[in-house]
Amino acid sequence: MTITSDINQVVAQLRQQVCDLHAVLTHYELVIWTAGNVSARVPDRDLMVIKPSGAEYASMRADDMVVCDLYGNLVDGALAPSSDTAAHAYVYRHMPEVGGVVHTHSTYATAWAARGEPIPCVLTMIADEFGGDIPVGPFALIGDDSIGRGIVETLRDSRSRAVLMRNHGPFTIGRTARDAVKAAVMVEDVARTVHISRQLGSPSTIDEADVAALFDRYQNVYGQTGQHADDLQENQR
Ligand SMILES: [Zn+2]
């Protein structure tokens, strides 16, 4: 697998986009040091663009982003790919609708992951964004396909775009890398709010029919079936 001349421009744009999206993770304080990573699928190719391993956020450049195949092998780039590349690659191989994957150890979402407890759907925002409880995935060691398999097995039959990998932290997916970053921001926000609510009592649940109605309305704003309002706004820019 190589980068053919017809996709040079697309790959360059994705390198810039993936680099820029890492700044969103630091803006919302979802990552510390070199932890966390964003990737984007190269449309219609078995390739993805991902952060290099050990890269510092403050000095990250678009050219540093590496291109890998969907088995995590380096295709183009001077640096070694992120240590989570195998997990991202597994998701792209098994979920063709996914165009972006994000991983962080954001504090509140990771605190729920440490307890192995799903975030209950007690806010309209959770219903809107995730369509129900935000699920917990299995404990998995880094280094092979087990993290990726855990993500796919948990999210394949879920409305949620976020999974809390047990004792580890959140992974999010999206139609685009930006969509997956948005889910990473939102999962941390609701993890924090529900945590605070828990300190004061028991948050009340939302009826399943209302959760379904909220999710359906939010995911199909403007009546554009299958296309999220956020993507529409992005297309209009
Ligand atoms: Zn991690």
Side-chain angles (χ1 to χ4, degrees):
M1 184 73 65
T2 54
I3 299 179
T4 48
S5 58
D6 57 320
I7 60 163
N8 266 340
Q9 196 179 351
V10 171
V11 168
Q13 284 169 352
L14 285 174
R15 275 190 155 120
Q16 187 65 56
Q17 185 189 104
V18 168
C19 181
D20 292 347
L21 284 168
H22 281 93
V24 178
L25 302 188
T26 54
H27 174 80
Y28 287 100
E29 300 184 342
L30 303 184
V31 291
I32 58 157
W33 199 236
T34 63
N37 34 71
V38 178
S39 71
R41 184 197 294 273
V42 179
D44 305 321
R45 292 288 195 287
D46 290 334
L47 294 171
M48 64 183 197
V49 175
I50 191 166
K51 172 175 167 269
S53 181
E56 298 206 12
Y57 284 85
S59 55
M60 202 177 279
R61 296 176 310 123
D63 287 348
D64 295 334
M65 302 302 113
V66 297
V67 182
C68 291
D69 67 18
L70 298 191
Y71 289 87
N73 301 306
L74 182 67
V75 171
D76 188 58
L79 302 168
S82 162
S83 52
D84 290 310
T85 299
H88 291 242
Y90 189 94
V91 173
Y92 290 125
R93 285 209 309 281
H94 291 86
M95 301 181 86
E97 71 280 16
V98 170
V101 178
V102 174
H103 172 50
T104 80
H105 300 153
S106 64
T107 306
Y108 284 89
T110 301
W112 287 85
R115 289 201 309 277
E117 183 179 358
I119 302 172
C121 187
V122 292
L123 300 168
T124 57
M125 183 175 159
I126 300 176
D128 287 344
E129 291 285 347
F130 302 104
D133 296 356
I134 299 168
V136 172
F139 177 79
L141 292 175
I142 198 164
D144 59 17
D145 276 350
S146 33
I147 294 178
R149 205 177 319 122
I151 297 167
V152 170
E153 284 171 2
T154 310
L155 294 185
R156 184 173 266 155
D157 300 317
S158 173
R159 292 182 190 136
S160 179
R161 292 179 292 138
V163 51
L164 308 171
M165 291 300 284
R166 189 179 288 266
N167 300 103
H168 186 171
F171 282 80
T172 59
I173 57 173
R175 275 179 280 273
T176 61
R178 185 173 180 276
D179 191 29
V181 168
K182 183 188 177 196
V185 173
M186 296 302 171
V187 73
E188 177 63 5
D189 190 61
V190 298
R192 178 170 174 270
T193 305
V194 179
H195 171 83
I196 291 170
S197 176
R198 276 273 185 91
Q199 310 312 300
L200 304 169
S202 297
S204 57
T205 53
I206 302 172
D207 284 347
E208 183 50 46
D210 291 332
V211 171
L214 284 163
F215 181 73
D216 189 57
R217 185 202 63 85
Y218 190 75
Q219 300 297 319
N220 298 295
V221 180
Y222 312 127
Q224 303 285 332
T225 305
Q227 190 172 27
H228 194 281
D230 206 49
D231 292 341
L232 280 176
Q233 284 162 9
E234 193 160 46
N235 292 342
Q236 284 161 2
R237 274 188 203 119

